[in-house]
Amino acid sequence: MIERAPYAQLLGVCEWTDADGNVGLAMPASPALEGRQGFLYGGVIGSLLELACLAALAGEGEAKEERPRPINITIDFLRGGLMVESYAQARIVRLGKRVVNVDAFCWQTDRDNPIATGRMHILRPPGA
Amino acid sequence: MEAEDPFERLKSMPPRGHHALLGIYHVAAGADWAELACPFSAEFLLDAGSGLVSSGPVISLIDAAAGAAIIARTRRWEPMATLDLRVDYLRAARPECTLHARATCHRVTRRVAFTRCEVNDGEPANPVAFAAASFFFTSEP
């Protein structure tokens, strides 16, 4: 469902599911995502992490009528993103009644060497 | 003389890459701050039906404004990388509204620059987001 969001389409993000049924996002490199020459823009990496967090929550069967709202996000940039395809996956740390804590990471060629990690608090819509 | 100034050079550079995609442009600046803006686009929506604006463009605009604030303060053209970025989303941005991000670089050391940023969608007294970001100068000593 995240890949149907106009903003996800603007970035060229699409969804995939791993062998365990966990949702992940993939984002091919494109000149429109570049920051300083030869590197993926930091804001784009942050946005991909954020979309991964929202996708993980949507995978929990979150109510569709009202969207969950981001409260805040913390992004650590570990290394420069190259102009190659990027991937992101998130894990729900705690699914509270009102607040969800989510961890996400983003990698390129090697899943064990992430280029960025993120943490998010998300407010669940009432009655979810 | 002005053409030699790194910040003037930054302002006069045509937008490219992701800045160009989002339509980010320079608004104003001071000795240690810079304000950048980004006009609304229907492509920023998270949900076409509900009109909910994604916070992704907010992150990118903050990154851009914070970087500009550092150059406004240092007046140096040094390659740098964002170390970390924390954003508090105070409320959802309204559709159809231009986003403004005003970043201040409040401390620079030899290797690291610290910034804060405030984002609004037309009413500075009613901000959309607060952020803190730190940057690392990547050139070798």
Side-chain angles (χ1 to χ4, degrees):
Chain A
M1 65 179 280
I2 282 294
E3 67 186 3
R4 286 206 300 273
Y7 179 66
Q9 290 172 358
L10 180 70
L11 298 185
V13 168
C14 54
E15 275 181 41
W16 48 274
T17 307
D18 69 16
D20 299 322
N22 301 309
V23 177
L25 301 181
M27 184 180 71
S30 98
L33 304 181
E34 196 175 32
R36 69 196 152 100
Q37 199 108 42
F39 291 93
L40 204 57
Y41 190 60
V44 170
I45 297 170
S47 299
L48 181 65
L49 287 168
E50 191 166 277
L51 290 174
C53 291
L54 295 172
L57 186 54
E60 289 292 314
E62 196 65 9
K64 303 288 188 288
E65 285 174 20
E66 199 179 330
R67 287 276 196 162
R69 295 297 178 103
I71 299 171
N72 50 40
I73 185 165
T74 306
I75 304 152
D76 282 346
F77 296 93
L78 307 176
R79 47 178 64 83
L82 303 175
M83 293 306 290
V84 299
E85 186 160 34
S86 306
Y87 309 92
Q89 257 187 322
R91 177 180 67 98
I92 292 179
V93 178
R94 178 173 185 267
L95 186 65
K97 244 198 257 179
R98 294 183 183 83
V99 173
V100 191
N101 302 61
V102 195
D103 266 354
F105 70 112
C106 173
W107 73 96
Q108 294 188 317
T109 48
D110 181 5
R111 199 176 189 277
D112 294 327
N113 271 312
I115 63 165
T117 60
R119 286 187 308 119
M120 237 188 136
H121 291 107
I122 303 172
L123 187 67
R124 303 180 76 186
Chain B
M1 275 307 275
E2 247 188 26
E4 307 289 335
D5 181 70
F7 190 74
E8 294 301 323
R9 178 178 156 201
L10 175 75
K11 273 188 350 192
S12 64
M13 275 165 56
R16 52 171 289 281
H18 201 60
H19 287 192
L21 181 73
L22 297 184
I24 292 176
Y25 61 93
H26 179 87
V27 176
D32 63 352
W33 61 273
E35 183 175 329
L36 271 58
C38 172
F40 174 77
S41 157
E43 292 177 309
F44 295 170
L45 292 175
L46 206 49
D47 199 324
S50 74
L52 186 61
V53 182
S54 170
S55 38
V58 175
I59 298 178
S60 287
L61 184 61
I62 289 166
D63 198 13
I70 293 168
I71 297 171
R73 176 170 171 143
T74 63
R75 301 279 156 174
R76 286 200 310 265
W77 195 259
E78 262 185 282
M80 56 187 166
T82 317
L83 267 185
D84 73 316
L85 172 61
R86 142 97 189 204
V87 189
D88 284 332
Y89 298 113
L90 306 180
R91 63 178 179 84
R94 294 166 298 181
E96 309 296 336
C97 294
T98 295
L99 291 168
H100 284 251
R102 183 170 166 154
T104 304
C105 174
H106 52 90
R107 168 96 174 124
V108 180
T109 71
R110 217 153 48 82
R111 307 298 287 179
V112 181
F114 300 92
T115 67
R116 290 195 200 109
C117 186
E118 204 170 311
V119 182
N120 73 74
D121 61 359
E123 291 172 61
N126 188 18
V128 165
F130 280 157
S134 59
F135 291 72
F136 182 72
F137 298 113
T138 54
S139 51
E140 292 303 316

